[in-house]
Amino acid sequence: MTLTSEMVKQAALAAGADLCGIGDMARFEGAPKEMDPRYIFPEATRVIGLVFRIPRGVQRGIEEGTQFYQYPSMAYGGINEIYAPAVLYSLGKLIEDHGYEAAVYRNTGARGVVSDMDGSPGNTLSPEEQIEVMEQAKTKTAHHRSVQFTRPVREGNVAPDLQFHFRLAAVACGLGEIGWSKMFLTPQFGPLQRVAFLFTDAPLEPDPMYSGPPICRRCMACVRECPGQCLSKTESIVVNVGGKKCEWGKLDEWKCYAFYTHAGRKFNPFVPKEVFDKNENGCLDLLEGKAPANEKEIMKVYGALEKYFPTWVGYNMAKCGGCIRACVSMLEKKGGCMEHRFKEPLRTGKAWVMDR
């Protein structure tokens, strides 16, 4: 039996994906070599993108300021580490049972020759791993956003482990667009999804690029509700993917990371107000708007505040989520792609902020 695009999509949905799109690998033309997935599997002609919806309810505890861990544990770790890999495995078996190769690529886990945070080369420490501030890990080798000693294995190749831009790959699969916040948006779920990919040499029919009504409304709610003011309202980044223009607001990725995990005095109920007031040794200058976001300042924040948080299980607790919740709230209003999706809106009043 000939393997068709429809068979692949039906199998993906039956295995648990919520959406499936197929892109032509030629759409990655122009990508930086270090982030070009064509180097992973040079014979691949198609990329299959899988979307896994995030239940809106895992944002509820953050929206109400009552429970912060379900979003990173269920909607991040649960999908990336457990649910999506099982679907990739199932779909890969179908493709290989028809005689074609399936190179699966789950979300997270890899480190490339350039930082997955901002694309910069070099030995950039990863605050995500907490290596230097966690007592039980101080003797281990430091984790980094980029791998330190990797080299190409042959002339003309790129150094492993190659890590590509997931959101742009989802665009290449025709699944949606990138919003001003830099989040990937689909017409079905707005910003509430994770993605995973599979590369194959199977001669599948690719989907067209998304050309429906703009999903991002350019309302700038993501800019207004970012507690760290990490996202520009006027400056943008523009990238072309397969002839489709992708544009998002210029983001200070390191500052965004610091506020996502620590949020600052008005958005972090886990840290006493007097800790921010005292700001011992200036360790919280970044969160207080007195220092730029860089590796040194972020590690100072982690060292000062990590003792106040509950135990982690591999993923940081979300103290912020401002851009996601703001986006969902606006897309549920009249004319947005999430209008009428739920019987009650995510937000019925103003977003909370602590008076301190």
Short mmCIF file of all heavy atoms in Angstrom, two decimals, residues 73-105:
data_model
loop_
_atom_site.label_atom_id
_atom_site.label_comp_id
_atom_site.label_asym_id
_atom_site.label_seq_id
_atom_site.Cartn_x
_atom_site.Cartn_y
_atom_site.Cartn_z
N SER A 73 4.73 21.70 34.62
CA SER A 73 4.84 20.25 34.79
C SER A 73 3.95 19.50 33.81
O SER A 73 4.37 18.48 33.23
CB SER A 73 4.49 19.84 36.22
OG SER A 73 3.15 20.17 36.53
N MET A 74 2.73 19.96 33.58
CA MET A 74 1.80 19.26 32.70
C MET A 74 1.87 19.76 31.25
O MET A 74 1.96 18.96 30.32
CB MET A 74 0.38 19.42 33.22
CG MET A 74 0.08 18.58 34.45
SD MET A 74 0.09 16.81 34.08
CE MET A 74 -1.36 16.68 33.02
N ALA A 75 1.83 21.08 31.07
CA ALA A 75 1.74 21.63 29.73
C ALA A 75 3.10 21.79 29.07
O ALA A 75 3.19 22.07 27.88
CB ALA A 75 1.03 22.99 29.76
N TYR A 76 4.16 21.66 29.85
CA TYR A 76 5.50 21.73 29.31
C TYR A 76 6.16 20.36 29.41
O TYR A 76 6.33 19.65 28.42
CB TYR A 76 6.32 22.80 30.04
CG TYR A 76 7.46 23.34 29.23
CD1 TYR A 76 7.35 24.53 28.53
CD2 TYR A 76 8.67 22.67 29.17
CE1 TYR A 76 8.40 25.03 27.78
CE2 TYR A 76 9.74 23.15 28.43
CZ TYR A 76 9.60 24.32 27.73
OH TYR A 76 10.64 24.81 26.98
N GLY A 77 6.51 19.95 30.63
CA GLY A 77 7.19 18.68 30.80
C GLY A 77 6.35 17.49 30.38
O GLY A 77 6.85 16.56 29.71
N GLY A 78 5.09 17.47 30.76
CA GLY A 78 4.24 16.32 30.44
C GLY A 78 4.10 16.09 28.95
O GLY A 78 4.16 14.95 28.47
N ILE A 79 3.93 17.17 28.19
CA ILE A 79 3.80 17.04 26.74
C ILE A 79 5.15 16.74 26.10
O ILE A 79 5.29 15.80 25.31
CB ILE A 79 3.19 18.32 26.12
CG1 ILE A 79 1.75 18.49 26.61
CG2 ILE A 79 3.24 18.25 24.60
CD1 ILE A 79 1.10 19.78 26.13
N ASN A 80 6.16 17.53 26.44
CA ASN A 80 7.47 17.39 25.79
C ASN A 80 8.14 16.05 26.08
O ASN A 80 8.77 15.46 25.19
CB ASN A 80 8.40 18.51 26.24
CG ASN A 80 8.03 19.86 25.66
OD1 ASN A 80 7.20 19.94 24.77
ND2 ASN A 80 8.64 20.90 26.16
N GLU A 81 8.03 15.60 27.31
CA GLU A 81 8.82 14.45 27.73
C GLU A 81 8.08 13.12 27.68
O GLU A 81 8.70 12.07 27.62
CB GLU A 81 9.32 14.67 29.17
CG GLU A 81 10.01 16.00 29.42
CD GLU A 81 11.36 16.09 28.73
OE1 GLU A 81 11.84 15.05 28.20
OE2 GLU A 81 11.94 17.17 28.70
N ILE A 82 6.76 13.15 27.73
CA ILE A 82 6.00 11.91 27.82
C ILE A 82 5.04 11.72 26.65
O ILE A 82 5.11 10.74 25.90
CB ILE A 82 5.22 11.84 29.15
CG1 ILE A 82 6.18 11.95 30.34
CG2 ILE A 82 4.38 10.57 29.24
CD1 ILE A 82 5.51 12.10 31.67
N TYR A 83 4.14 12.68 26.48
CA TYR A 83 3.05 12.48 25.53
C TYR A 83 3.51 12.56 24.08
O TYR A 83 3.28 11.64 23.28
CB TYR A 83 1.96 13.51 25.80
CG TYR A 83 0.64 13.18 25.15
CD1 TYR A 83 -0.20 12.22 25.70
CD2 TYR A 83 0.23 13.81 23.99
CE1 TYR A 83 -1.41 11.90 25.11
CE2 TYR A 83 -0.97 13.50 23.39
CZ TYR A 83 -1.80 12.55 23.95
OH TYR A 83 -2.99 12.23 23.37
N ALA A 84 4.18 13.66 23.72
CA ALA A 84 4.61 13.85 22.33
C ALA A 84 5.59 12.77 21.85
O ALA A 84 5.46 12.28 20.72
CB ALA A 84 5.21 15.25 22.14
N PRO A 85 6.59 12.37 22.67
CA PRO A 85 7.49 11.31 22.20
C PRO A 85 6.77 10.01 21.85
O PRO A 85 7.16 9.31 20.91
CB PRO A 85 8.45 11.13 23.38
CG PRO A 85 8.49 12.45 24.04
CD PRO A 85 7.08 12.96 23.93
N ALA A 86 5.72 9.68 22.61
CA ALA A 86 4.98 8.46 22.31
C ALA A 86 4.29 8.55 20.95
O ALA A 86 4.24 7.57 20.19
CB ALA A 86 3.95 8.19 23.41
N VAL A 87 3.77 9.74 20.64
CA VAL A 87 3.11 9.93 19.34
C VAL A 87 4.15 9.89 18.22
O VAL A 87 3.92 9.29 17.16
CB VAL A 87 2.32 11.24 19.33
CG1 VAL A 87 1.68 11.47 17.96
CG2 VAL A 87 1.25 11.24 20.41
N LEU A 88 5.28 10.53 18.42
CA LEU A 88 6.35 10.49 17.42
C LEU A 88 6.77 9.05 17.14
O LEU A 88 6.98 8.66 15.99
CB LEU A 88 7.55 11.30 17.91
CG LEU A 88 7.48 12.82 17.84
CD1 LEU A 88 8.68 13.44 18.54
CD2 LEU A 88 7.43 13.29 16.38
N TYR A 89 6.92 8.29 18.21
CA TYR A 89 7.33 6.89 18.06
C TYR A 89 6.31 6.11 17.23
O TYR A 89 6.67 5.35 16.32
CB TYR A 89 7.48 6.28 19.46
CG TYR A 89 7.90 4.83 19.47
CD1 TYR A 89 9.19 4.46 19.10
CD2 TYR A 89 7.00 3.85 19.87
CE1 TYR A 89 9.57 3.13 19.12
CE2 TYR A 89 7.39 2.51 19.89
CZ TYR A 89 8.67 2.16 19.51
OH TYR A 89 9.04 0.84 19.53
N SER A 90 5.04 6.29 17.53
CA SER A 90 3.99 5.58 16.81
C SER A 90 3.97 5.97 15.33
O SER A 90 3.88 5.11 14.45
CB SER A 90 2.63 5.88 17.46
OG SER A 90 1.58 5.27 16.75
N LEU A 91 4.08 7.27 15.06
CA LEU A 91 4.04 7.74 13.68
C LEU A 91 5.29 7.30 12.93
O LEU A 91 5.23 6.94 11.74
CB LEU A 91 3.90 9.26 13.65
CG LEU A 91 3.64 9.89 12.28
CD1 LEU A 91 2.35 9.34 11.67
CD2 LEU A 91 3.57 11.40 12.40
N GLY A 92 6.43 7.32 13.61
CA GLY A 92 7.66 6.88 12.98
C GLY A 92 7.59 5.43 12.56
O GLY A 92 8.10 5.03 11.49
N LYS A 93 6.97 4.59 13.38
CA LYS A 93 6.82 3.18 13.02
C LYS A 93 5.99 3.01 11.75
O LYS A 93 6.31 2.18 10.90
CB LYS A 93 6.18 2.41 14.19
CG LYS A 93 7.08 2.22 15.39
CD LYS A 93 6.54 1.17 16.35
CE LYS A 93 5.19 1.55 16.92
NZ LYS A 93 4.69 0.53 17.88
N LEU A 94 4.90 3.78 11.64
CA LEU A 94 4.07 3.69 10.44
C LEU A 94 4.89 4.00 9.19
O LEU A 94 4.83 3.27 8.19
CB LEU A 94 2.89 4.65 10.55
CG LEU A 94 2.08 4.84 9.26
CD1 LEU A 94 1.21 3.62 9.00
CD2 LEU A 94 1.23 6.10 9.33
N ILE A 95 5.65 5.07 9.26
CA ILE A 95 6.43 5.49 8.09
C ILE A 95 7.49 4.45 7.75
O ILE A 95 7.68 4.09 6.57
CB ILE A 95 7.06 6.87 8.36
CG1 ILE A 95 5.95 7.94 8.42
CG2 ILE A 95 8.10 7.23 7.29
CD1 ILE A 95 6.43 9.30 8.87
N GLU A 96 8.18 3.95 8.76
CA GLU A 96 9.25 2.98 8.49
C GLU A 96 8.69 1.63 8.07
O GLU A 96 9.36 0.87 7.36
CB GLU A 96 10.17 2.89 9.69
CG GLU A 96 10.88 4.22 9.96
CD GLU A 96 12.19 4.10 10.71
OE1 GLU A 96 12.44 3.03 11.31
OE2 GLU A 96 12.96 5.07 10.69
N ASP A 97 7.47 1.31 8.50
CA ASP A 97 6.83 0.07 8.03
C ASP A 97 6.52 0.14 6.53
O ASP A 97 6.28 -0.91 5.89
CB ASP A 97 5.55 -0.19 8.81
CG ASP A 97 5.82 -0.75 10.20
OD1 ASP A 97 6.97 -1.16 10.46
OD2 ASP A 97 4.89 -0.76 11.02
N HIS A 98 6.50 1.35 5.98
CA HIS A 98 6.27 1.51 4.54
C HIS A 98 7.58 1.70 3.78
O HIS A 98 7.57 2.06 2.60
CB HIS A 98 5.33 2.69 4.29
CG HIS A 98 3.88 2.38 4.55
ND1 HIS A 98 3.35 2.34 5.82
CD2 HIS A 98 2.86 2.06 3.70
CE1 HIS A 98 2.06 2.04 5.75
NE2 HIS A 98 1.73 1.86 4.48
N GLY A 99 8.70 1.49 4.48
CA GLY A 99 9.99 1.50 3.78
C GLY A 99 10.71 2.82 3.73
O GLY A 99 11.75 2.94 3.07
N TYR A 100 10.18 3.83 4.42
CA TYR A 100 10.84 5.14 4.44
C TYR A 100 11.41 5.40 5.84
O TYR A 100 10.98 4.79 6.82
CB TYR A 100 9.85 6.24 4.06
CG TYR A 100 9.26 6.05 2.69
CD1 TYR A 100 7.96 5.55 2.54
CD2 TYR A 100 9.98 6.34 1.54
CE1 TYR A 100 7.41 5.35 1.28
CE2 TYR A 100 9.44 6.15 0.28
CZ TYR A 100 8.15 5.65 0.15
OH TYR A 100 7.62 5.46 -1.10
N GLU A 101 12.36 6.30 5.91
CA GLU A 101 12.99 6.60 7.19
C GLU A 101 12.26 7.70 7.92
O GLU A 101 11.74 8.63 7.30
CB GLU A 101 14.45 7.00 6.98
CG GLU A 101 15.27 7.00 8.26
CD GLU A 101 16.76 6.90 7.98
OE1 GLU A 101 17.23 5.78 7.74
OE2 GLU A 101 17.42 7.95 7.98
N ALA A 102 12.24 7.60 9.24
CA ALA A 102 11.57 8.60 10.09
C ALA A 102 12.56 9.09 11.15
O ALA A 102 12.89 8.35 12.07
CB ALA A 102 10.34 8.00 10.75
N ALA A 103 13.04 10.31 10.99
CA ALA A 103 13.95 10.90 11.98
C ALA A 103 13.12 11.78 12.91
O ALA A 103 12.66 12.85 12.53
CB ALA A 103 15.03 11.75 11.28
N VAL A 104 12.88 11.27 14.12
CA VAL A 104 12.00 11.98 15.06
C VAL A 104 12.79 13.02 15.84
O VAL A 104 14.00 12.86 16.08
CB VAL A 104 11.32 11.00 16.03
CG1 VAL A 104 10.43 10.04 15.27
CG2 VAL A 104 12.35 10.22 16.84
N TYR A 105 12.12 14.08 16.24
CA TYR A 105 12.77 15.17 16.97
C TYR A 105 11.77 15.75 17.96
O TYR A 105 10.87 16.49 17.60
CB TYR A 105 13.24 16.25 15.99
CG TYR A 105 14.37 17.11 16.52
CD1 TYR A 105 15.60 17.13 15.90
CD2 TYR A 105 14.19 17.93 17.63
CE1 TYR A 105 16.64 17.93 16.35
CE2 TYR A 105 15.23 18.72 18.10
CZ TYR A 105 16.44 18.72 17.45
OH TYR A 105 17.46 19.51 17.92
#
